[in-house]
Amino acid sequence: MRPDGRKYDELRTIQIQPDFIMHPEGSVLIAVGNTKVICNASIEDRVPPFLRGQKKGWITAEYAMLPRATPERNMRESTKGRVSGRTMEIQRLIGRALRSVVNLEAMGERTLWIDCDVIQADGGTRTASITGAFVAAVLAFKRAVARKEIVKMPIQSYLAATSVGIHPTYGPILDLCYKEDATTDVDMNIVMNGRDEYIEIQGTGEEATFNEKELTVLLALARKGIHQLIQAEKAVLGDWTAEQKAGAAH
Amino acid sequence: MRPDGRKYDELRTIQIQPDFIMHPEGSVLIAVGNTKVICNASIEDRVPPFLRGQKKGWITAEYAMLPRATPERNMRESTKGRVSGRTMEIQRLIGRALRSVVNLEAMGERTLWIDCDVIQADGGTRTASITGAFVAAVLAFKRAVARKEIVKMPIQSYLAATSVGIHPTYGPILDLCYKEDATTDVDMNIVMNGRDEYIEIQGTGEEATFNEKELTVLLALARKGIHQLIQAEKAVLGDWTAEQKAGAAH
Amino acid sequence: MRPDGRKYDELRTIQIQPDFIMHPEGSVLIAVGNTKVICNASIEDRVPPFLRGQKKGWITAEYAMLPRATPERNMRESTKGRVSGRTMEIQRLIGRALRSVVNLEAMGERTLWIDCDVIQADGGTRTASITGAFVAAVLAFKRAVARKEIVKMPIQSYLAATSVGIHPTYGPILDLCYKEDATTDVDMNIVMNGRDEYIEIQGTGEEATFNEKELTVLLALARKGIHQLIQAEKAVLGDWTAEQKAGAAH
Amino acid sequence: MRPDGRKYDELRTIQIQPDFIMHPEGSVLIAVGNTKVICNASIEDRVPPFLRGQKKGWITAEYAMLPRATPERNMRESTKGRVSGRTMEIQRLIGRALRSVVNLEAMGERTLWIDCDVIQADGGTRTASITGAFVAAVLAFKRAVARKEIVKMPIQSYLAATSVGIHPTYGPILDLCYKEDATTDVDMNIVMNGRDEYIEIQGTGEEATFNEKELTVLLALARKGIHQLIQAEKAVLGDWTAEQKAGAAH
Amino acid sequence: MRPDGRKYDELRTIQIQPDFIMHPEGSVLIAVGNTKVICNASIEDRVPPFLRGQKKGWITAEYAMLPRATPERNMRESTKGRVSGRTMEIQRLIGRALRSVVNLEAMGERTLWIDCDVIQADGGTRTASITGAFVAAVLAFKRAVARKEIVKMPIQSYLAATSVGIHPTYGPILDLCYKEDATTDVDMNIVMNGRDEYIEIQGTGEEATFNEKELTVLLALARKGIHQLIQAEKAVLGDWTAEQKAGAAH
Amino acid sequence: MRPDGRKYDELRTIQIQPDFIMHPEGSVLIAVGNTKVICNASIEDRVPPFLRGQKKGWITAEYAMLPRATPERNMRESTKGRVSGRTMEIQRLIGRALRSVVNLEAMGERTLWIDCDVIQADGGTRTASITGAFVAAVLAFKRAVARKEIVKMPIQSYLAATSVGIHPTYGPILDLCYKEDATTDVDMNIVMNGRDEYIEIQGTGEEATFNEKELTVLLALARKGIHQLIQAEKAVLGDWTAEQKAGAAH
């Protein structure tokens, strides 16, 4: 029995509130248990200089935490004057994940900005960010298709992410909260698409290691969680694949 | 009649949601019309080096906007590597306002960190931040008094802020939304305490000027708005002045 | 009787030395008592990118202090690698004040750079900077009109600034020196034009407050001081309004 | 047949030159094909503040490339004034990898600094850095044990890293050179210890994905490569495990 | 005949105004022709951490130009966020020069801060800074001796600096103004003490070179100029060597 | 007899290994005794904005040390976020030295980037960098001439640099190693071309001084060393002057 009463293969409660902020093209508040992230998707009608004239789009992601998203207050990165290595790593991960399910050519020469701002943290902020960012991106593209700015939905598959780990007491577990994460040796973040394919596997055993067999167990847990996350996304997004087909018919 | 149907002396709807984020000692989501700010108050058990050993506390404030709090996406200040002049000006204003109603000696050698993060902007973000920060600070101090970390409430009066301006069409108006602010020549931010005294007056007429008479009208409008804001604060905070007296009896 | 023997409504001695530095289009050394500021005005034949093609000019101001302008040596902001919040606030204030009396269209696509460098500080450096910057700007524009680079004087009114405050011993006083400023609770900077209109009111009562009646007294003191400052400006500038009319006749 | 004539499961030639630079406690020039990295290990007799008094050591890694390590010259990060996200990600990876095989308690309150400077790049610089850094670290610790500064070797296992990928033409391949890396969709870096356990798996399919079966093939290739790399390390390091036992007998 | 009518071996007019700014321990406005530099010397009662407990002092120098010290406005280094290579080079040069004539042990554990701020530039700003800084330093030390904070004058010799060069039209010349400097190929800055010894020789022939014979001529010119500069210093400083002896008698 | 057995006028062993790194247009590993510097020369087909359209090239140099090039580890300048004054001074020196022997017009609108990275330091890193950079530059230009990108060799003379000093025990000495440098009072770096002309003389006597006679002795020592260094360059470069003539014949 885990600290919050979950079973080893149980996700925390997922809540995805669409249209959370009024200005962005796509906006979502995602809650995975007590972890809460505002994910905003902005579409800008130009690409960075290195892509100009190539008739394709670009996706870039930024990630930040409010200073009191955590039990102890953290100094703001704007005040420090530099973004930490951890933040950069997460931003790059979110960007890669999104790009893997978007047809950049279908976007035209546009940039999709993803902003993930963690307002409350309890473990798994980077995977919650990816899942929330995906929903915000679909909302933004739906709006752009509705306005006929983009001809067809550039999204090619669902996308979700979760964490798994091997806990000294609970063994292999799915979707670690902060308390579990802090006491877990092996920790793995998995990003998958809607066709059961891996986008990204990041497994680390800083003060521990893991063998072939353990890896197999962890990957199975992750797949189970991602199936459920994609169900939650579908509940919010409705049948956008149908709309996509309609859009594609133009 | 103003764009959103308000009368010239009418505030926007105020909503103050206490305990919005779980980790901070005090946390509030304040909405003034469409302007929404998360105000977190953190109490740290030490003061900056220049105050050590002086048996008094310190209050410092930070302010930021999410990139898509606004219609156009703004670059993050952490990414730019420097905080803008506008941000610094607002941070200094919030800090001064809070310090004016807090008995720093009664805090002991502690720092109160105020974090105001605008998640949606529609004008008046700095005045909403001051009003929300005050409520968050009271919540934080109440908790510290309840835990007997602080002997008595260090708050000495209520505190609230609003904006007034002279609009070319609507004339003198209270509580400007962004659309009004962008077309107003004279713009003034007023901070007052619960004893009808001024803490701060910041009046600017960048492409216009104002005379003695207009100043008098604007100040009267501001006072009216601040009385209502303090009522909204009282509705959330309950009778903390009573608790303060009880605390003082120790 | 104030520390330097002045009456409550008495300005310090004002000295304005025109053409202080040889290179700038306009240059002034202003001394307000012991506070001394070099104010240089530079005219550059282009505007920042966001204004290009709009057939109007721009005014921007920078402010700095020499490290030993003050009793204790301050670290240079170039060495720190960042400009402080205080500096940014003052720079923004000087820029707004100047823009309020200049017809930007009449400047053509030019930038007026104002540089205020405090070489000796004894309170009131920001208000002395505004008064000195105004004189430097007029000198620069006169030269540009004389060279027929600008058709008519773009200055629309005089401009001056001073400080007022409520001192625990001396009561309401005009033009605070550093010693007074350090012991004054309520402190207000006032910027006005030559038509007795307010450009900017910045009143702060960090560890005190002020009421309606006190505000009225302070504003009257400030007006008196500003009238005298404008007289001092006229003594230096001669009858440039006449030249302006001549320029306008082209 | 791959561009340089290798088979799909063939490593590039490995050369490890110990004692390359005279000053560091441990120094290695590692060449993996045309990729060349100077790996220096420095032992400092103190730990960062957050670890003081805990009777354990710390390991931190830095990574950089000379501007012309690559076909096109890259701007120096010192000149840019900030370290890129890619550099930070690699530095964190090298540090975690080393910490996984070192007994930090056995180090005493010392810091092991790892510096990996790529002087020539042809793909796989981060995995070559890990392999080279491990050898430099062992050399440094051997010297510290010989000088009786450290009682016993704090190294607990061998450590090596390599890359694998799925190439559109060659299929799954081991140890990608730059030309292969640039045209490979799925790319994975694997760090393992001498007991056939995983330390880190980082698999990315930015413009592609991979399934369960492909993952299994890639992991088998990586294990094969790592076994060979550890053989190369043993050829350089001699029987340090024996020395370790002797050291432990003190 | 040179542009300003000087002979090849003639210095520009030197003016040294002592006690220019009221706050610093030593303050000078030095004018060498049209080049004007405020040189302030501050004595701080502590040394940087690396010198603590060594019973000796330290001297550090900073140098800056006002943005309009030059014909074209230069961006402020505080605004750029970094100090240029040229500035750092000059700061290091001034610091070394001063340290060469000061007995650091006699200073006690104090830091002498030298601030050279060029308010008007017409060539030779770094050599004028050294000469002015020396006078400011002597004034500061005289005051410290008078207050009995320092037992005896720590100054061991006079110090002055000038420039020489080989001009394509005028041949070898002393004390170059900006116009000459801009058209001179070989340019040399010489720092000497009062005993006719070299402290620093910096000769550069960026687009030219110089031979043995030319070097001899240039050095003779420089010596002549420095003798005159030291006379100008003596005129300001009076017979401080006598005071030094008196101080030494304690 | 000096610490490493050399005579007072003896250079350390010089080794110049051409084509050290595979990517740059010119690459050299230069060893002067234990001081080892990788010097890479890159040719880029454009010039900085301020030179565009002027039909001439530009040369710019960067210099860095690996953190463990020295006995104690130094913090990386990329990690500090700023380049030190010492580094900037050296970079500017290397750039000036190279520009003095290159015909910038003959380069066409190209930039020559010189990168000097010290991998092992034992005194004299800046002079070794200049000598090595010269060889790398010639190699790069030879390649550009061979590819007919540049019509004729833009190099106009040989270039080399060394250090001399006055040691309290050994007297005037040539080519100081670190141990000598640390105990020498007067220290001078000399850059000369192949026609026995001075490019740069930088002599400093921070805690000492030097007179006319000592200067003469030091310059003679430096000339002797530079003649030998130019011989070493010729041994590596072959008869490029002949090739230059052939190139010029086009």
Side-chain angles (χ1 to χ4, degrees):
Chain A
M1 207 55 162
R2 297 161 68 179
D4 52 4
R6 280 188 289 152
K7 284 183 291 178
Y8 78 101
D9 63 348
E10 197 179 338
L11 283 184
R12 290 178 282 178
T13 310
I14 310 296
Q15 286 177 296
I16 302 176
Q17 181 178 339
D19 303 326
F20 183 65
I21 299 296
M22 70 193 251
H23 297 303
E25 284 71 44
S27 177
V28 150
L29 174 66
I30 186 168
V32 178
N34 284 324
T35 290
K36 296 184 183 177
V37 189
I38 301 177
C39 301
N40 290 332
S42 307
I43 297 180
E44 189 189 22
D45 277 339
R46 55 175 187 175
V47 287
F50 69 90
L51 275 182
R52 277 183 205 147
Q54 296 188 28
K55 309 211 170 186
K56 52 190 275 194
W58 185 240
I59 299 176
T60 193
E62 293 194 344
Y63 165 98
M65 281 214 221
L66 295 202
R68 274 314 290 278
T70 49
E72 298 290 311
R73 186 180 186 277
N74 289 302
M75 201 176 167
R76 254 167 229 276
E77 297 192 328
S78 58
T79 304
K80 280 192 228 170
R82 59 171 65 205
V83 165
S84 73
R86 178 185 175 276
T87 294
M88 287 203 191
E89 224 173 286
I90 296 174
Q91 294 185 157
R92 288 159 56 91
L93 170 63
I94 300 171
R96 281 197 308 269
L98 267 287
R99 286 194 293 275
S100 77
V101 293
V102 173
N103 179 342
L104 297 176
E105 281 77 11
M107 284 176 66
E109 293 209 357
R110 286 180 186 81
T111 297
L112 179 72
W113 289 89
I114 296 292
D115 285 293
C116 298
D117 286 87
V118 180
I119 60 174
Q120 190 171 281
D122 185 31
T125 63
R126 79 185 70 187
T127 51
S129 293
I130 290 170
T131 306
F134 173 74
V135 179
V138 173
L139 292 176
F141 282 133
K142 282 176 77 168
R143 189 172 295 190
V145 169
R147 289 177 181 164
K148 301 196 191 298
E149 292 162 3
I150 290 180
V151 176
K152 64 162 192 169
M153 277 296 276
I155 303 277
Q156 297 170 318
S157 182
Y158 277 90
L159 175 78
T162 193
S163 69
V164 288
I166 305 177
H167 191 275
T169 309
Y170 316 121
I173 48 176
L174 173 64
D175 187 21
L176 287 66
C177 69
Y178 177 73
K179 203 169 176 178
E180 291 169 339
D181 190 55
T183 50
T184 289
D185 302 329
V186 174
D187 178 22
M188 195 172 281
N189 293 301
I190 309 286
V191 188
M192 296 185 80
N193 65 18
R195 293 187 297 269
D196 236 23
E197 292 167 327
Y198 295 106
I199 308 294
E200 190 100 23
I201 296 180
Q202 291 196 338
T204 295
E206 182 158 335
E207 308 206 7
T209 54
F210 52 101
N211 60 29
E212 210 64 32
K213 198 179 232 168
E214 290 165 329
L215 177 60
T216 306
V217 172
L218 289 173
L219 293 174
L221 271 181
R223 272 199 307 278
K224 180 171 177 190
I226 282 171
H227 293 168
Q228 288 177 28
L229 287 162
I230 289 177
Q231 283 315 112
E233 291 175 351
K234 286 185 176 165
V236 172
L237 291 172
D239 194 2
W240 63 267
T241 48
E243 293 175 54
Q244 179 181 6
K245 282 167 200 159
H250 281 259
Chain B
M1 206 56 162
R2 296 160 69 180
D4 52 4
R6 281 187 289 152
K7 282 183 291 179
Y8 76 100
D9 64 347
E10 197 178 338
L11 283 184
R12 290 177 283 178
T13 311
I14 310 297
Q15 286 178 297
I16 301 176
Q17 181 178 340
D19 303 326
F20 184 66
I21 299 296
M22 69 193 252
H23 297 303
E25 284 69 45
S27 178
V28 151
L29 174 67
I30 186 168
V32 177
N34 284 323
T35 290
K36 296 185 182 176
V37 189
I38 300 176
C39 301
N40 290 332
S42 308
I43 297 179
E44 191 188 22
D45 277 340
R46 57 175 184 175
V47 287
F50 69 90
L51 276 182
R52 276 182 205 145
Q54 296 187 29
K55 309 213 169 184
K56 53 191 273 195
W58 185 241
I59 299 176
T60 193
E62 292 193 347
Y63 165 98
M65 281 214 221
L66 295 203
R68 274 315 288 279
T70 48
E72 299 288 310
R73 185 181 186 276
N74 289 302
M75 200 175 167
R76 254 167 229 276
E77 297 192 329
S78 57
T79 304
K80 281 193 228 171
R82 59 171 65 204
V83 165
S84 72
R86 178 186 173 274
T87 294
M88 287 202 191
E89 224 174 284
I90 295 175
Q91 294 184 158
R92 287 159 54 92
L93 171 63
I94 300 171
R96 280 198 307 269
L98 265 289
R99 286 194 294 274
S100 76
V101 293
V102 173
N103 179 342
L104 298 176
E105 282 76 13
M107 284 176 65
E109 293 210 357
R110 288 181 184 81
T111 298
L112 179 71
W113 289 89
I114 296 293
D115 285 293
C116 298
D117 285 87
V118 180
I119 61 173
Q120 192 169 282
D122 186 31
T125 62
R126 81 184 68 187
T127 51
S129 293
I130 290 170
T131 306
F134 173 74
V135 179
V138 174
L139 294 176
F141 283 133
K142 283 175 77 168
R143 188 172 297 188
V145 170
R147 289 177 181 163
K148 300 196 192 299
E149 293 163 3
I150 291 180
V151 176
K152 65 163 190 167
M153 275 298 275
I155 303 276
Q156 296 170 318
S157 182
Y158 277 89
L159 175 77
T162 195
S163 69
V164 287
I166 306 177
H167 192 274
T169 309
Y170 316 122
I173 49 177
L174 171 64
D175 187 20
L176 287 66
C177 69
Y178 178 73
K179 204 171 173 177
E180 291 169 340
D181 190 55
T183 51
T184 289
D185 301 328
V186 174
D187 178 22
M188 196 173 281
N189 293 301
I190 310 286
V191 188
M192 297 184 82
N193 66 18
R195 293 188 297 269
D196 236 22
E197 292 166 327
Y198 295 106
I199 308 297
E200 188 103 22
I201 297 180
Q202 290 196 337
T204 295
E206 182 159 334
E207 309 206 5
T209 54
F210 51 102
N211 59 30
E212 211 63 32
K213 196 180 236 170
E214 289 164 329
L215 177 61
T216 306
V217 172
L218 290 173
L219 293 176
L221 272 180
R223 273 199 306 277
K224 181 173 176 190
I226 283 171
H227 293 169
Q228 288 177 28
L229 287 162
I230 290 177
Q231 284 314 112
E233 291 174 353
K234 286 185 175 164
V236 172
L237 291 172
D239 193 2
W240 64 267
T241 47
E243 294 175 54
Q244 180 181 6
K245 282 167 202 159
H250 281 259
Chain C
M1 207 58 162
R2 297 161 67 179
D4 51 5
R6 282 188 288 153
K7 283 183 291 178
Y8 77 102
D9 64 348
E10 197 178 338
L11 284 184
R12 289 178 282 178
T13 309
I14 309 298
Q15 285 177 297
I16 301 176
Q17 180 177 341
D19 303 326
F20 184 66
I21 299 297
M22 69 193 250
H23 297 304
E25 283 71 43
S27 177
V28 151
L29 174 67
I30 186 168
V32 177
N34 283 323
T35 290
K36 296 184 183 176
V37 189
I38 300 176
C39 301
N40 289 333
S42 308
I43 297 179
E44 190 189 22
D45 278 340
R46 57 174 187 177
V47 287
F50 69 91
L51 275 183
R52 277 184 203 143
Q54 296 186 30
K55 309 210 170 187
K56 53 191 274 196
W58 185 240
I59 299 176
T60 194
E62 294 194 345
Y63 165 98
M65 280 215 223
L66 295 203
R68 272 315 287 280
T70 49
E72 298 289 309
R73 186 181 185 277
N74 290 302
M75 200 176 168
R76 254 168 229 275
E77 297 192 328
S78 57
T79 304
K80 280 193 228 168
R82 59 171 64 206
V83 165
S84 73
R86 179 186 173 275
T87 293
M88 287 202 192
E89 224 173 286
I90 295 175
Q91 295 185 157
R92 288 159 54 92
L93 170 63
I94 300 171
R96 280 198 308 268
L98 266 288
R99 285 194 295 274
S100 76
V101 293
V102 173
N103 178 342
L104 298 176
E105 281 77 12
M107 284 176 65
E109 293 209 357
R110 287 180 184 81
T111 297
L112 179 72
W113 290 88
I114 296 293
D115 285 293
C116 298
D117 286 88
V118 180
I119 61 174
Q120 191 170 283
D122 186 30
T125 63
R126 79 185 68 188
T127 51
S129 293
I130 290 170
T131 306
F134 172 73
V135 179
V138 174
L139 294 176
F141 283 133
K142 283 176 77 168
R143 188 171 297 189
V145 169
R147 289 177 181 162
K148 300 196 190 298
E149 292 163 3
I150 291 180
V151 176
K152 64 164 192 167
M153 276 296 277
I155 303 277
Q156 296 171 317
S157 182
Y158 276 90
L159 176 77
T162 195
S163 69
V164 288
I166 305 176
H167 190 276
T169 308
Y170 315 122
I173 48 176
L174 172 64
D175 187 21
L176 287 65
C177 70
Y178 177 74
K179 204 170 174 179
E180 292 169 339
D181 190 56
T183 51
T184 290
D185 302 328
V186 173
D187 178 22
M188 195 172 282
N189 293 301
I190 309 286
V191 189
M192 297 185 81
N193 65 19
R195 293 187 296 270
D196 236 23
E197 292 166 326
Y198 294 106
I199 309 296
E200 189 102 23
I201 296 179
Q202 291 197 338
T204 294
E206 183 158 334
E207 308 207 7
T209 53
F210 51 102
N211 60 29
E212 211 65 29
K213 197 179 236 170
E214 290 164 329
L215 177 60
T216 305
V217 171
L218 290 174
L219 293 175
L221 271 181
R223 272 199 307 277
K224 181 173 176 189
I226 283 172
H227 293 168
Q228 289 177 26
L229 287 161
I230 289 177
Q231 284 313 112
E233 291 175 352
K234 286 184 177 166
V236 172
L237 291 172
D239 193 2
W240 63 267
T241 46
E243 292 175 55
Q244 180 180 6
K245 281 167 202 158
H250 281 256
Chain D
M1 205 58 162
R2 295 161 69 179
D4 53 3
R6 281 187 289 152
K7 283 183 291 179
Y8 78 100
D9 63 348
E10 197 178 338
L11 284 183
R12 290 178 283 178
T13 310
I14 310 297
Q15 285 177 297
I16 301 176
Q17 180 178 340
D19 303 326
F20 183 66
I21 299 296
M22 69 192 253
H23 297 303
E25 284 70 44
S27 177
V28 151
L29 174 67
I30 186 168
V32 177
N34 284 324
T35 290
K36 295 184 182 176
V37 190
I38 299 176
C39 300
N40 289 333
S42 307
I43 296 179
E44 190 188 23
D45 277 340
R46 56 174 185 176
V47 287
F50 69 90
L51 276 182
R52 277 183 204 144
Q54 297 187 28
K55 308 210 171 186
K56 53 191 274 195
W58 185 242
I59 299 175
T60 193
E62 293 194 345
Y63 166 98
M65 281 215 221
L66 295 203
R68 274 314 289 279
T70 49
E72 299 289 311
R73 186 181 185 275
N74 289 302
M75 200 175 168
R76 254 168 228 276
E77 296 191 330
S78 57
T79 304
K80 281 193 227 170
R82 60 170 66 205
V83 165
S84 73
R86 177 184 175 276
T87 294
M88 287 202 191
E89 223 173 286
I90 295 175
Q91 293 184 157
R92 288 159 55 91
L93 170 63
I94 300 171
R96 281 197 307 269
L98 266 287
R99 286 194 294 274
S100 76
V101 293
V102 172
N103 179 341
L104 297 177
E105 281 76 12
M107 283 176 67
E109 294 210 358
R110 286 181 186 81
T111 297
L112 179 72
W113 290 88
I114 296 293
D115 286 292
C116 298
D117 285 88
V118 179
I119 61 173
Q120 190 170 282
D122 186 31
T125 63
R126 81 185 68 187
T127 52
S129 293
I130 291 170
T131 306
F134 172 74
V135 179
V138 174
L139 294 175
F141 283 133
K142 283 175 76 167
R143 187 171 297 188
V145 170
R147 289 176 180 163
K148 300 197 191 297
E149 292 163 3
I150 291 180
V151 176
K152 65 163 191 167
M153 275 298 274
I155 303 276
Q156 296 170 318
S157 182
Y158 277 90
L159 174 78
T162 195
S163 68
V164 288
I166 305 177
H167 191 274
T169 309
Y170 317 121
I173 49 177
L174 172 65
D175 187 20
L176 287 66
C177 69
Y178 177 73
K179 203 170 174 179
E180 292 169 340
D181 190 55
T183 50
T184 291
D185 302 328
V186 174
D187 178 22
M188 196 172 279
N189 292 301
I190 309 285
V191 188
M192 297 185 81
N193 66 17
R195 294 187 297 269
D196 236 22
E197 293 166 328
Y198 295 107
I199 308 296
E200 189 101 23
I201 296 179
Q202 292 196 337
T204 296
E206 182 160 333
E207 309 207 7
T209 54
F210 51 101
N211 59 29
E212 211 63 32
K213 197 179 235 169
E214 289 164 330
L215 177 60
T216 306
V217 172
L218 289 173
L219 293 175
L221 271 180
R223 273 199 306 278
K224 181 172 176 190
I226 282 171
H227 293 167
Q228 289 177 27
L229 287 162
I230 290 177
Q231 283 315 113
E233 291 174 352
K234 287 185 176 165
V236 172
L237 291 171
D239 194 3
W240 64 266
T241 46
E243 294 175 53
Q244 180 181 6
K245 282 166 201 159
H250 280 260
Chain E
M1 205 57 163
R2 297 161 68 180
D4 52 4
R6 281 188 289 153
K7 282 182 291 177
Y8 77 100
D9 64 347
E10 198 179 338
L11 283 184
R12 289 178 283 179
T13 310
I14 310 297
Q15 286 177 296
I16 302 176
Q17 181 178 339
D19 303 326
F20 184 66
I21 299 295
M22 69 193 252
H23 298 303
E25 284 69 45
S27 176
V28 151
L29 174 67
I30 186 168
V32 177
N34 284 322
T35 290
K36 295 184 183 176
V37 189
I38 300 175
C39 301
N40 290 332
S42 307
I43 296 180
E44 190 188 23
D45 277 340
R46 57 175 185 174
V47 288
F50 70 90
L51 276 182
R52 277 182 204 145
Q54 296 187 30
K55 309 213 169 184
K56 53 190 273 196
W58 185 240
I59 299 176
T60 194
E62 293 194 344
Y63 165 97
M65 279 214 223
L66 294 203
R68 273 315 288 279
T70 49
E72 299 288 310
R73 186 181 186 276
N74 290 302
M75 200 175 167
R76 253 167 230 276
E77 297 192 329
S78 57
T79 304
K80 281 193 227 169
R82 60 171 64 204
V83 166
S84 73
R86 178 185 174 275
T87 294
M88 288 202 191
E89 224 172 286
I90 295 174
Q91 295 184 157
R92 288 158 55 91
L93 170 63
I94 300 171
R96 281 198 307 269
L98 266 287
R99 286 194 293 275
S100 76
V101 292
V102 173
N103 178 343
L104 297 176
E105 281 76 12
M107 285 176 64
E109 294 211 357
R110 288 180 184 82
T111 298
L112 179 72
W113 290 89
I114 296 293
D115 285 292
C116 298
D117 286 87
V118 180
I119 62 174
Q120 190 170 283
D122 185 32
T125 63
R126 81 184 68 187
T127 52
S129 293
I130 290 170
T131 306
F134 172 73
V135 180
V138 174
L139 294 176
F141 283 133
K142 283 175 76 168
R143 189 172 296 190
V145 170
R147 290 178 180 161
K148 301 197 192 297
E149 293 162 3
I150 291 180
V151 175
K152 65 163 190 166
M153 276 297 276
I155 303 276
Q156 296 170 317
S157 182
Y158 278 89
L159 175 78
T162 194
S163 69
V164 288
I166 306 176
H167 191 275
T169 309
Y170 316 121
I173 49 177
L174 172 64
D175 187 21
L176 287 65
C177 69
Y178 177 73
K179 203 170 175 179
E180 291 169 339
D181 189 56
T183 51
T184 290
D185 302 328
V186 174
D187 177 24
M188 195 172 280
N189 294 301
I190 309 285
V191 188
M192 297 185 81
N193 65 17
R195 292 188 298 268
D196 235 23
E197 293 166 327
Y198 296 106
I199 309 296
E200 189 102 22
I201 297 179
Q202 291 197 337
T204 295
E206 183 158 334
E207 308 206 7
T209 54
F210 51 102
N211 60 29
E212 212 63 30
K213 199 180 236 169
E214 289 165 329
L215 177 61
T216 305
V217 173
L218 290 174
L219 292 176
L221 272 180
R223 271 199 307 277
K224 181 173 176 189
I226 282 170
H227 293 167
Q228 288 177 26
L229 287 161
I230 289 177
Q231 284 313 113
E233 293 174 351
K234 286 184 176 166
V236 172
L237 291 171
D239 194 2
W240 63 266
T241 47
E243 294 175 53
Q244 180 180 6
K245 281 165 201 163
H250 281 258
Chain F
M1 207 56 162
R2 296 159 70 179
D4 52 4
R6 281 188 289 153
K7 283 182 291 178
Y8 77 101
D9 64 348
E10 198 178 337
L11 284 183
R12 290 178 282 179
T13 310
I14 310 298
Q15 286 177 298
I16 301 176
Q17 181 178 340
D19 304 325
F20 183 65
I21 299 297
M22 70 192 250
H23 296 303
E25 283 71 44
S27 177
V28 150
L29 175 66
I30 186 168
V32 177
N34 284 323
T35 290
K36 295 184 184 177
V37 189
I38 300 177
C39 301
N40 289 333
S42 307
I43 297 180
E44 189 189 21
D45 278 340
R46 56 174 185 175
V47 286
F50 70 91
L51 274 183
R52 276 182 206 147
Q54 297 187 28
K55 309 214 169 184
K56 53 190 273 196
W58 186 241
I59 299 176
T60 193
E62 293 194 345
Y63 166 98
M65 280 215 222
L66 295 203
R68 273 316 288 280
T70 49
E72 298 290 309
R73 186 182 186 277
N74 289 301
M75 200 176 168
R76 254 168 229 275
E77 297 191 329
S78 57
T79 303
K80 281 193 228 169
R82 60 171 63 205
V83 165
S84 73
R86 178 185 174 275
T87 294
M88 287 202 192
E89 224 173 286
I90 296 174
Q91 295 185 156
R92 288 158 54 92
L93 171 63
I94 300 171
R96 281 198 307 269
L98 267 287
R99 286 194 293 274
S100 77
V101 293
V102 173
N103 178 342
L104 297 176
E105 280 77 13
M107 284 177 66
E109 294 209 357
R110 288 181 184 81
T111 297
L112 178 73
W113 289 89
I114 296 293
D115 286 292
C116 299
D117 286 87
V118 180
I119 62 174
Q120 191 170 281
D122 185 30
T125 63
R126 79 185 69 186
T127 51
S129 293
I130 290 170
T131 306
F134 173 74
V135 178
V138 174
L139 293 176
F141 282 133
K142 283 175 78 169
R143 188 172 297 189
V145 169
R147 289 176 180 165
K148 300 195 192 298
E149 292 162 4
I150 291 180
V151 176
K152 65 163 192 167
M153 276 297 275
I155 302 278
Q156 296 170 318
S157 182
Y158 276 90
L159 175 78
T162 194
S163 68
V164 288
I166 305 176
H167 191 275
T169 309
Y170 316 121
I173 48 176
L174 172 64
D175 187 20
L176 287 66
C177 68
Y178 178 73
K179 203 171 175 178
E180 292 169 338
D181 191 54
T183 51
T184 289
D185 302 328
V186 175
D187 178 22
M188 195 173 281
N189 293 300
I190 309 285
V191 188
M192 296 185 81
N193 65 18
R195 293 187 296 270
D196 236 21
E197 292 167 328
Y198 296 106
I199 308 296
E200 189 102 22
I201 297 179
Q202 291 196 337
T204 295
E206 183 159 332
E207 310 208 4
T209 53
F210 52 102
N211 59 30
E212 210 64 31
K213 198 179 233 169
E214 288 164 329
L215 177 60
T216 306
V217 172
L218 289 174
L219 293 175
L221 272 180
R223 272 198 307 277
K224 182 174 176 188
I226 283 171
H227 293 168
Q228 289 177 27
L229 286 162
I230 289 178
Q231 283 315 112
E233 291 174 352
K234 286 184 177 167
V236 172
L237 290 172
D239 194 1
W240 63 266
T241 46
E243 292 175 54
Q244 180 180 4
K245 281 166 200 160
H250 280 261

